[in-house]
Amino acid sequence: MSRHWHLEYSGNHAVLTLDVEGQSANVLSQDVLNEFDKHLEELESKMLAGAIIRSGKTSGFIAGADVREFVTITDPARATEFAQLGQQVCARLEGLPFPSVAVIHGFCLGGGLELALACTYRIARDDPGTRLGLPEVRLGIHPGFAGTVRLPPLVGDLSALDMMLTGRTLSAREARRLGLVDEIVPERHLLHAAETFLKSGTPRRKAPWYRRLPAWKPLRQGVVKLMSPRVRRKAHPDHYPAPWRILDLWRDRATEDREAESLGELLVSRTSRNLVHVFLLGEALKRQGKAQAHDIEHVHVVGAGVMGADIAIWAAHKGFRVSLQDRAPEILARAVKKAHGFFKSKLKDPRVVQEAMDRFMPDLEGHGLRRADLVIEAIVEKVGPKQELFRMIEQKVRPQALLATNTSGIPLEEIGEALQDPSRLVGLHFFNPVAKMQLVEIVRGARTSEAALGRARAFTGAIERLPLDVKSSPGFLVNRILMPYLLEAVKLVEEGVSLITIDQAATEFGMPMGPVELADTVGLDICLSVAEELSGPLHIDVPAKLRELVGQDHLGRKSGRGFYRYDARGRRQTPAPEKIAVDVPVTERLVLRLLNEAMACLREGVVTDADAVDAGMVYGTGFAPFLGGPMSYIESLGVTGISHSLHRLLQEYGPRFNPDSGWSRPELLKRGLRPSGQA
Ligand code: NAI
């Protein structure tokens, strides 16, 4: 009986439609693969002119292997068997005694693309929703259904390596240009085009010989050598082994057996488990952003500085009508210029760029307030001016407008004092740079209404960011956890440890950027103001060095000098190595302050559970994804070991290492976002 695949005959060809039961998107589980295999077996003995493989879901063709299923596999041999099953089914499809064609729309990813690669032809729907790719590397694995074997002959070796190593997805047009698909046509011509291909007798597409040159044996080792530095910049071999395996498999022209064996090992590795955990957390946050339809059309942003301009640009980019207000025309002019540059680089087509510009309105007088469904405040981080502004805003906006502040840490209750109706005020705390950092903290003040929170989450989902609920408390979640780590770095600088030593310790641990460079990038003035806000409630000392640099107007990257020096284009100048103090446990001091604060946040209920801490730190700061976030890292180290280390550092360096009382409450490590028993 068919639960997922539906087989029909049309004329003298078969049409196999995948519509996985109980799922909104098609994913390849063992069940789905076994059923497909049975259908193929039946077709093998038939006299047919061809087979069409397509999807019955509006969401797309096939989104990949079933991630939720493979986290249940814990034994490498079982994982290898799973890959072998996929390989066998694809081999059977490729070996059919008549041609086959995959008809692709929407997502065609991972195992889904590998299945399409086994067809004789691929036709894709020509629209922006079509995305093809092999994103396995992002989950710490590589293709396992013979994709590493079939892709290079089709698109050429360098393109195949690029797709597998970066995991990036391609539009229908890019895929056509590369030869990944044979034809792209509008929706209404898809089936007709597929039938024409089946009748055509066109030979299976092959990359031209020159695109296969890198695979020539004497060149292969050299190609790997050339690519390695690029891979190393993104993926330390100890942290992210998958891209290195992809290079090995390619260099050795590995067989399907080796591909399956290697996949088996990677699939059960700690890195992959953690990356899948992070992926599932992202999916869970996405669902929260889609839980209700948004009711916002017009967004008015006040403050066109670093954050306000970027928030406005991003919202317009995602289709909202946006007005942006500031005090001086030249500030708005700068924002308009920035918007134009951004839209041009992202949207390319001049007509689409113009449409985005039409949605983006500089608004010196604040006329947009009267039409706005949502007002986002992003002015200076001072409570007085913010209150004054909200008092004015409340008088002008419509009663149903949602009010939001991008404050980094001023309690919502204080800002809300200025409002007659503080229940409509919510925090929408974006991270810098907005276009890159996916997280938005949805801050709940004591008086914020559920309706306001729901609308804020839905808006965040609509602009394709990840909403994370946090309680209004100093620094919310992310800045609060980050700050002790940054301040410990400043202490290390004060003790004479070289900047490079500190930053390297953090990047070797797996952070995307060292804490010293991060402080410079955020801006030392902003770091100082957040540190000062937090110093009282969290009892943390603000190192003198930070005040000193801000006092000298050394504000970091934006002023050309902070801890490091920067050139006019903001590139860091490498300082000469200074005195290196080797006997200081740099990594341990940095990381343990961060973990201790993460535990404090959990104990105080800033977020509801350990998953939310992991999601916040990975999507808000880039915290080492291969470790799965601070809480997963704590789980892997064990609470007892961390408490001991904190006690040791407490003796040596003083009370800032005082272990939080949460360490003695293991129940705090409970998970909430991800479905139980997974990853
Ligand atoms: P900024 O100093 O770059 O920009 C503030 C802008 O607001 C300036 O252009 C100023 O002219 C304008 N402004 C001030 N008062 C105004 C008023 N009454 N009416 C209209 N415009 C006014 O500041 P930035 O960095 O963009 O920060 C804005 C807010 O976002 C702050 O609350 C900050 O804590 C928060 N934030 C900052 C982040 C960062 O990395 N810079 C990250 C996340 C939040």
Side-chain angles (χ1 to χ4, degrees):
M1 208 189 71
S2 283
R3 286 168 49 216
H4 311 300
W5 291 92
H6 305 287
L7 174 61
E8 299 156 306
Y9 293 94
S10 156
N12 56 353
H13 54 253
V15 181
L16 263 168
T17 305
L18 178 61
D19 190 356
V20 174
E21 194 180 65
Q23 300 262 18
S24 59
N26 282 332
V27 283
L28 298 176
S29 62
Q30 301 188 47
D31 204 25
V32 171
L33 288 171
N34 281 323
E35 206 181 277
F36 189 42
D37 196 44
K38 291 223 171 65
H39 283 301
L40 292 176
E41 193 180 359
E42 181 188 329
L43 294 183
E44 268 168 356
S45 56
K46 292 214 152 75
M47 297 284 289
L48 290 168
I52 294 176
I53 316 290
R54 63 172 198 175
S55 152
K57 305 269 192 215
T58 48
S59 58
F61 182 68
I62 301 173
D66 187 350
V67 177
R68 285 165 206 279
E69 184 176 82
F70 67 59
V71 292
T72 62
I73 303 176
T74 49
D75 169 18
R78 280 259 300 106
T80 298
E81 279 168 24
F82 175 60
Q84 282 163 342
L85 170 67
Q87 290 181 350
Q88 281 155 20
V89 178
C90 287
R92 183 161 242 167
L93 173 60
E94 187 177 51
L96 285 174
F98 42 80
S100 56
V101 55
V103 176
I104 297 163
H105 72 275
F107 288 113
C108 174
L109 303 176
L113 178 57
E114 290 179 279
L115 191 143
L117 288 176
C119 290
T120 324
Y121 313 112
R122 284 149 297 282
I123 313 263
R125 191 168 79 188
D126 183 14
D127 71 30
T130 301
R131 305 296 311 176
L132 301 98
L134 293 171
E136 287 88 343
V137 75
R138 298 189 177 169
L139 298 181
I141 55 175
H142 54 59
F145 299 169
T148 64
V149 180
R150 285 201 182 92
L151 190 61
L154 187 66
V155 300
D157 294 86
L158 295 185
S159 301
L161 281 174
D162 177 63
M163 279 178 68
M164 293 189 286
L165 290 171
T166 62
R168 74 189 182 94
T169 59
L170 275 54
S171 67
R173 288 184 182 191
E174 276 177 287
R176 173 75 186 85
R177 227 175 292 132
L178 225 61
L180 183 62
V181 299
D182 296 86
E183 200 52 271
I184 53 174
V185 292
E187 162 92 47
R188 62 184 186 283
H189 296 318
L190 271 178
L191 281 181
H192 178 67
E195 285 167 10
T196 310
F197 259 95
L198 289 179
K199 280 189 216 141
S200 67
T202 316
R204 178 184 268 276
R205 182 182 273 275
K206 269 198 208 143
W209 63 271
Y210 52 86
R211 288 222 222 142
R212 301 252 40 213
L213 265 184
W216 190 40
K217 197 161 182 219
L219 292 182
R220 261 185 263 154
Q221 186 57 36
V223 171
V224 169
K225 223 172 170 175
L226 274 175
M227 297 194 89
S228 295
R230 207 183 99 195
V231 175
R232 190 176 293 273
R233 271 199 297 277
K234 293 258 175 203
H236 191 292
D238 295 344
H239 300 164
Y240 299 98
W244 302 95
R245 290 288 185 90
I246 291 169
L247 282 178
D248 288 351
L249 291 174
W250 178 79
R251 185 198 50 217
D252 302 347
R253 290 208 139 183
T255 57
E256 298 185 10
D257 284 346
R258 236 189 95 194
E259 182 197 73
E261 195 185 318
S262 165
L263 178 79
E265 288 163 16
L266 290 179
L267 196 83
V268 298
S269 67
R270 186 172 144 215
T271 293
S272 175
R273 286 286 120 113
N274 283 330
L275 291 176
V276 169
H277 166 61
V278 165
F279 168 78
L280 291 176
L281 293 182
E283 294 294 297
L285 293 185
K286 257 187 221 161
R287 274 197 299 281
Q288 295 186 358
K290 305 268 179 246
Q292 76 181 58
H294 76 84
D295 56 358
I296 286 154
E297 281 175 26
H298 184 124
V299 183
H300 183 84
V301 180
V302 191
V306 178
M307 293 305 289
D310 281 5
I311 294 168
I313 292 168
W314 184 257
H317 174 52
K318 291 294 159 193
F320 287 85
R321 211 168 59 237
V322 180
S323 43
L324 176 62
Q325 183 183 355
D326 204 303
R327 293 179 298 197
E330 57 275 13
I331 302 178
L332 291 175
R334 210 169 48 212
V336 170
K337 194 165 163 225
K338 195 171 181 195
H340 192 247
F342 181 82
F343 297 146
K344 242 170 69 180
S345 78
K346 288 274 174 193
L347 303 168
K348 304 208 167 69
D349 180 345
R351 194 177 46 85
V352 186
V353 171
Q354 190 52 47
E355 280 167 10
M357 286 307 286
D358 291 347
R359 289 195 295 272
F360 182 88
M361 291 160 279
D363 180 10
L364 191 63
E365 315 284 334
H367 296 303
L369 279 170
R370 296 190 194 284
R371 276 173 286 138
D373 305 297
L374 165 65
V375 180
I376 304 176
E377 167 277 312
I379 67 164
V380 281
E381 183 70 349
K382 293 212 171 86
V383 69
K386 284 193 195 284
Q387 285 182 334
E388 195 181 314
L389 179 68
F390 272 109
R391 215 169 279 129
M392 179 280 285
I393 289 174
E394 197 177 32
Q395 280 162 19
K396 293 200 172 160
V397 292
R398 295 184 296 178
Q400 70 273 27
L402 175 66
L403 306 183
T405 169
N406 184 47
T407 177
S408 305
I410 302 176
L412 249 67
E413 296 75 10
E414 266 182 62
I415 299 173
E417 277 168 21
L419 291 173
Q420 281 168 11
D421 176 12
S423 74
R424 71 204 292 203
L425 179 69
V426 60
L428 272 178
H429 183 223
F430 286 82
F431 292 84
N432 187 8
V434 176
K436 209 164 150 208
M437 302 313 293
Q438 293 190 59
L439 194 80
V440 177
E441 288 178 325
I442 308 290
V443 189
R444 172 199 296 264
R447 300 175 71 178
T448 309
S449 71
E450 281 306 321
L453 290 167
R455 293 175 76 196
R457 278 184 220 114
F459 169 72
T460 305
I463 56 167
E464 288 171 31
R465 303 285 85 172
L466 303 173
L468 180 75
D469 281 14
V470 301
K471 194 170 83 176
S472 169
S473 60
F476 312 133
L477 179 79
V478 173
N479 281 346
R480 172 163 169 192
I481 296 180
L482 207 55
M483 197 42 70
Y485 158 85
L486 292 184
L487 296 184
E488 194 60 28
V490 181
K491 284 242 180 242
L492 286 160
V493 177
E494 286 181 341
E495 288 169 29
V497 182
S498 80
L499 305 178
I500 295 285
T501 307
I502 300 167
D503 278 352
Q504 261 175 11
T507 51
E508 274 163 24
F509 174 79
M511 299 301 200
M513 185 188 269
V516 181
E517 193 174 355
L518 178 63
D520 270 358
T521 306
V522 171
L524 298 186
D525 50 341
I526 291 182
C527 284
L528 180 62
S529 83
V530 178
E532 280 172 343
E533 263 167 40
L534 293 182
S535 61
L538 303 186
H539 311 291
I540 48 177
D541 288 339
V542 181
K545 179 83 186 169
L546 192 57
R547 291 189 208 281
E548 184 191 311
L549 286 170
V550 174
Q552 294 163 341
D553 256 350
H554 296 325
L555 305 182
R557 194 165 242 134
K558 61 185 169 187
S559 70
R561 183 162 175 196
F563 287 100
Y564 292 102
R565 286 172 189 271
Y566 298 86
D567 68 13
R569 290 167 60 192
R571 284 175 309 196
R572 199 189 82 190
Q573 314 279 294
T574 314
E578 296 158 30
K579 186 176 108 196
I580 296 181
V582 279
D583 53 348
V584 181
V586 177
T587 314
E588 193 181 31
R589 278 175 55 181
L590 293 172
V591 174
L592 284 188
R593 282 203 70 186
L594 186 152
L595 297 183
N596 203 27
E597 204 58 47
M599 182 51 100
C601 286
L602 207 49
R603 176 181 50 74
E604 286 179 21
V606 175
V607 286
T608 48
D609 58 73
D611 275 343
V613 177
D614 281 350
M617 292 310 284
V618 174
Y619 289 109
T621 72
F623 181 97
F626 77 97
L627 295 175
M631 289 307 169
S632 295
Y633 184 53
I634 288 171
E635 267 179 356
S636 71
L637 292 182
V639 168
T640 327
I642 300 176
S643 305
H644 282 152
S645 305
L646 279 167
H647 274 114
R648 180 166 38 77
L649 294 175
L650 169 69
Q651 303 299 324
E652 201 163 340
Y653 298 100
R656 65 183 190 278
F657 286 99
N658 215 344
D660 188 83
S661 60
W663 293 106
S664 54
R665 293 173 51 196
E667 78 279 6
L668 290 174
L669 291 172
K670 77 172 189 315
R671 299 293 178 166
L673 285 172
R674 71 185 184 200
S676 59
Q678 291 197 334

